Amino acid sequence: MTVFRPSSSRLSASRVALAGGIALSSVVLLSGTAFAHVSVQPQGEAAKGGYATVNIKVPNERDNASTVKVEVNFPLDHPLASVMPQPVPGWKAEVTRSKLSKPLELHGKKINEAVSKVTWTADGSKIGPGQFQQFPLSLGRLPEDADELVIKAIQTYDNKDVVRWIEEQKEGAEEPQFPAPVLKLSAASDDHHGGAAAPSGAPSASADDKAGHEDKTASHKETAAADSSDTTARILGVLGILIGVAGVAFGVLAGRRRSL
């Protein structure tokens, strides 16, 4: 009786395939966990001293529960006088303000309080398993003496689980398990509204556009004139050739008639 035994090469190939599959599964699971954090994402530029629109992105990390409440907390050491939530269907937003130990000055007025928290509560909607939701905010003015804002978040599920995204990243250390969302601030712009002002003495955009349009129009007219002249010359040349051919043919015919 012959017993089949797999060769060592086949066993090695099988073991390599199994190890590769396990490694790939581990990478997928770890990457899914790493990217499932609550985060803050600016829409465009978030410049120091200016205003910005941001999205609070909240993914659902549970496969057996839904998110029903999201709370974000703003630092009072770099207070924001204005935080306005954009309405999100199925969610109710509540803005909480707190007294400041040192008043802010905004548009020439002193502000004695700032927004410390925004809370969204499910009102007919939830963030289900495998889903995420974005909560838009308008922020301003952003601080001029900071490179980033740490916006701590708390996520509540309908099974009463609470996840606190409040751990700050330490320099040189690994990413914490529950990192707090961080808004990176870019260099201050000249007009404090996210866009640089035009340099003094520079021609206006409308003047430049008009000048460019006039140049293009003149160039187009010159090109059209040149094309027209070239076309006319070609037509006249063809007519001259036809007339010449006709004259030669007429002369040949006339000569034959005389010889007859």
Side-chain angles (χ1 to χ4, degrees):
M1 179 179 179
T2 303
V3 178
F4 174 77
R5 295 181 179 177
S7 64
S8 58
S9 59
R10 291 184 179 179
L11 285 173
S12 299
S14 300
R15 290 171 181 170
V16 170
L18 179 59
I22 293 173
L24 179 60
S25 300
S26 301
V27 170
V28 171
L29 289 174
L30 291 174
S31 62
T33 302
F35 288 100
H37 302 332
V38 173
S39 60
V40 55
Q41 302 173 340
Q43 303 303 298
E45 187 178 28
K48 298 178 182 180
Y51 293 81
T53 299
V54 304
N55 281 332
I56 305 296
K57 185 177 180 180
V58 182
N60 193 328
E61 291 191 315
R62 301 288 189 268
D63 56 7
N64 59 352
S66 298
T67 299
V68 293
K69 185 178 179 181
V70 177
E71 174 186 311
V72 293
N73 296 272
F74 297 92
L76 291 180
D77 56 342
H78 294 293
L80 300 173
S82 174
V83 177
M84 295 186 295
Q86 179 177 317
V88 177
W91 294 83
K92 180 181 178 181
E94 180 182 357
V95 179
T96 303
R97 307 181 71 88
S98 299
K99 292 288 184 179
L100 297 175
S101 57
K102 182 180 179 181
L104 287 175
E105 187 170 338
L106 183 65
H107 302 303
K109 296 181 180 180
K110 287 189 176 182
I111 307 297
N112 295 315
E113 60 180 17
V115 174
S116 57
K117 180 171 63 176
V118 177
T119 305
W120 290 272
T121 305
D123 186 21
S125 182
K126 297 181 180 181
I127 308 175
Q131 298 178 343
F132 75 93
Q133 177 65 55
Q134 296 191 117
F135 299 93
L137 289 171
S138 174
L139 308 179
R141 282 186 169 173
L142 299 174
E144 298 183 11
D145 57 348
D147 295 323
E148 63 182 25
L149 285 180
V150 178
I151 304 174
K152 298 181 179 181
I154 300 175
Q155 182 178 10
T156 304
Y157 291 87
D158 56 7
N159 64 355
K160 307 303 181 183
D161 283 351
V162 176
V163 182
R164 301 179 181 275
W165 303 96
I166 61 174
E167 299 176 8
E168 298 188 34
Q169 177 71 51
K170 303 297 183 182
E171 186 177 355
E174 294 183 358
E175 183 183 43
Q177 185 177 2
F178 301 104
V182 177
L183 175 63
K184 299 292 185 180
L185 304 181
S186 59
S189 58
D190 293 336
D191 59 358
H192 296 297
H193 289 279
S200 176
S204 64
S206 58
D208 290 342
D209 292 342
K210 183 177 179 181
H213 178 71
E214 290 177 350
D215 291 343
K216 290 180 180 179
T217 302
S219 176
H220 178 72
K221 289 181 179 179
E222 292 175 359
T223 302
D227 290 343
S228 177
S229 300
D230 186 59
T231 301
T232 302
R234 290 180 181 179
I235 293 174
L236 292 176
V238 171
L239 288 177
I241 293 173
L242 292 176
I243 292 172
V245 170
V248 172
F250 179 78
V252 170
L253 291 175
R256 289 183 178 179
R257 289 178 179 176
R258 289 175 182 175
S259 62
L260 292 175

